[in-house]
Amino acid sequence: MKIGAPKEVQDDEARVAITPESAGHLQKLGHEVAIEAGAGEKAGFTDAAYRDAGVEVVKSAAQLFKLADVIVKVRPPTETEVKRLTHGKTLISFFYPGSNEALMEMAKDKGASVIAMDMVPRISRAQKMDALSSMANIAGYRAVIEAGNNFGRFFTGQVTAAGKVPPAKVLVVGAGVAGLAAIGTSTSLGAITYAFDVRPEVAEQIESMGAQFVFLEFSDDELPDGAETGGYAPPSSPEFQEKQLAKFREMAPEIDIVITTALIPNRPAPVLWTKDMVEAMKPGSVIIDLAAERGGNCELTEKDAKIVTENGVTIVGYTDFASRMATQSSVLYGNNIRHMIADLTPGKDGQIVHDMEDDVIRGATIAHAGEITWPPPPPKVAAIAVQKKEKPKELTAEEKRAQEVAAFQSETKFQVGLIATGGILLLLAGLFTPASFMQHFIVFTLACFVGFQVIWGVAHSLHTPLMAVTNAISSIIILGALLQIGSGSFLVIFLAALSVFMAGINIFGGFLVTRRMLAMFQKS
């Protein structure tokens, strides 16, 4: 079949759905590839580059729609583009079906199949096709770059002969894909980065990236259920929102840059940064609102505009962050598209098989065979989301006491049985072995016990290959072997030397591994 990518009609859209590289992968699947002339120029891909990759370059979008069996786009189609579809053709693009029901009806009436890249289910197998995450990753990175462009100081702190420069303080609201990309970029630039998310389970991930998680005190009843929205952070309870806004008001005077990313598809963006918070910020501060397309997380955000408030705060409400990095965005989106088409071409023979039993294809398909198939049924595989833990059953004082007594009795029985077994084995060893063996055996047992207790007393978070029970045992072996090296028996000397050698490998290997571990956390 022939796959075609038309030029995006929106003036501010620079991305393209097929790159010369992704075209090569599509050709390996048995497909022919065509592209409208000039479709990749804004993204840095010339028509000559496409021709060199074996792609047919056609003059107009109308001609492309006639030639191609599968149309791939970035932005949702316009009414004109949907009218150009015919029975049996397939359209793959962002679509946002919840906001474009009329276009969906029109595509159904045309008898075309429509796959919405924004509807790819968030399951592990579909990550390679998750265009929302690909574009959010770029938007988060670009948000920090845009903030730096509008911020009048360094991100990193400096001490120079000309004076001391304090580091910028950055707050990232929302730790989804875009938020984590912003956190990583901000910390790499040297800023003091704070991050907040309604899902407390992401705190460890945030802190591993060098940022500080902003904690809130709340009860389990106020905690949102992230499982309900397929991995997105859901709306919070009014009580939680009040505490959240109170915390942001407290932080506002000290924060230099705020990057907000809280957004759920097909829902208005929640207002998280109010007018009074903006007024509390220092002159020269910057707010980058990645939710501007749905109204914005900042109360003063203006869609597709940059404004400066009376107190000197810059608020950026651009909605084309991914398009501002068109080359990189097109490469990643082109990979998402070719992975989707690879799933649609199981035989790698250039034939599209629209398998509605496949979780990914069914979930992303919004119109097929003359019917609207949106919204899709829940995927058979659970979505990528942290399930809410059920509250443990509250026990009465008597039940707690009974449980404690039963646990104590069980532990006592185990310990008594262990001591009795050890005593019997020790008695048998004393009856059938020389006295010298028992003397050495008792010293060895005590040494193992002391070494184990010393190492086990160290907090687990401090454990390294150098601070482990195995190293304590290796040290005991080396000490014992060194005492035996002076023996008159060649066999004893050989075994002792071999013991020192093998135990030494374990210890010195620990030094090497620890050094490499520490190097991972050192900034170059």
Side-chain angles (χ1 to χ4, degrees), residues 29 125 128-129 338-346 353 358 360-361:
L29 293 171
R125 186 171 68 84
K128 60 187 177 183
M129 295 168 257
R338 61 108 166 170
H339 283 303
M340 174 62 75
I341 294 176
D343 268 27
L344 289 166
T345 318
V353 179
D358 184 286
V360 178
I361 295 172

Side-chain angles (χ1 to χ4, degrees), residues 331-342:
V331 169
L332 294 183
Y333 185 70
N335 286 336
N336 296 142
I337 289 288
R338 61 108 166 170
H339 283 303
M340 174 62 75
I341 294 176

Side-chain angles (χ1 to χ4, degrees), residues 205-284:
Q205 193 171 7
I206 288 170
E207 291 171 352
S208 71
M209 299 182 72
Q212 300 177 44
F213 185 71
V214 178
F215 283 96
L216 289 182
E217 294 292 335
F218 49 81
S219 65
D220 289 341
D221 294 334
E222 298 169 338
L223 181 64
D225 183 5
E228 293 180 357
T229 53
Y232 289 100
S236 310
S237 65
E239 296 80 10
F240 187 92
Q241 290 177 3
E242 287 180 12
K243 293 180 181 180
Q244 178 179 327
L245 295 178
K247 186 65 176 181
F248 290 163
R249 287 190 180 94
E250 178 187 333
M251 299 179 69
E254 299 298 323
I255 297 297
D256 298 304
I257 296 171
V258 177
I259 298 173
T260 62
T261 71
L263 183 64
I264 301 173
N266 298 319
R267 294 189 186 182
V271 176
L272 303 177
W273 206 261
T274 57
K275 181 180 178 182
D276 61 300
M277 297 178 196
V278 177
E279 293 171 347
M281 297 178 74
K282 295 174 286 190

Side-chain angles (χ1 to χ4, degrees), residues 77 115 161 181 185 197 213 220 278 350 373 399 402-403 421 431 472 478 499 519:
I115 294 178
T185 308
D197 197 280
F213 185 71
D220 289 341
V278 177
T373 59
E399 290 174 332
Q403 279 191 353
T421 303
L431 292 174
I478 288 178
S499 300

Side-chain angles (χ1 to χ4, degrees), residues 385-404:
V386 177
Q387 301 296 326
K388 186 175 181 180
K389 295 180 180 178
E390 295 184 2
K391 291 183 180 179
K393 180 183 176 182
E394 293 188 4
L395 303 176
T396 63
E398 293 181 359
E399 290 174 332
K400 288 181 180 178
R401 177 62 181 169
Q403 279 191 353
E404 291 173 356

Side-chain angles (χ1 to χ4, degrees), residues 427-442:
L427 179 62
L428 292 174
L431 292 174
F432 298 101
T433 58
S436 59
F437 171 81
M438 288 302 299
Q439 182 180 358
H440 291 306
F441 179 75
I442 291 173

Side-chain angles (χ1 to χ4, degrees), residues 60 154 360 371 398 512 517:
S60 66
F154 293 136
V360 178
E371 295 182 0
E398 293 181 359
L512 182 61
M517 288 174 60

